Amino acid sequence: MNGASAVGFVGILTIFIFIGLVGLILYAVFSMAIKRSGLREEISGLKQEIRLLKEKLEKNEHKLE
């Protein structure tokens, strides 16, 4: 029993390390893809547009009151 529990612990630890490495690799791949595609700049522009539209909406609501 003791040997089986030690192997189980090492196995679980190995699985966690493997999952962590896969996660880091996926993060790096997606990060590089976003940088190359210019998606970050597009998202930033959309956020700015949303902010401007919210400001216009608030101004129109104040005019109606």
Side-chain angles (χ1 to χ4, degrees), residues 21-40:
L21 287 175
V22 170
L24 284 175
I25 291 170
L26 287 175
Y27 172 77
V29 168
F30 281 112
S31 178
M32 287 174 52
I34 288 172
K35 285 181 183 177
R36 286 189 181 175
S37 69
L39 190 60
R40 185 170 290 163

Side-chain angles (χ1 to χ4, degrees), residues 1-3 6-7 11-12 14-15 25 32 40 42 44 46 60-61:
M1 276 305 227
N2 287 339
V7 171
I12 291 171
T14 304
I15 290 172
I25 291 170
M32 287 174 52
R40 185 170 290 163
E42 189 173 336
S44 176
L46 289 173
N60 287 337
E61 286 178 352

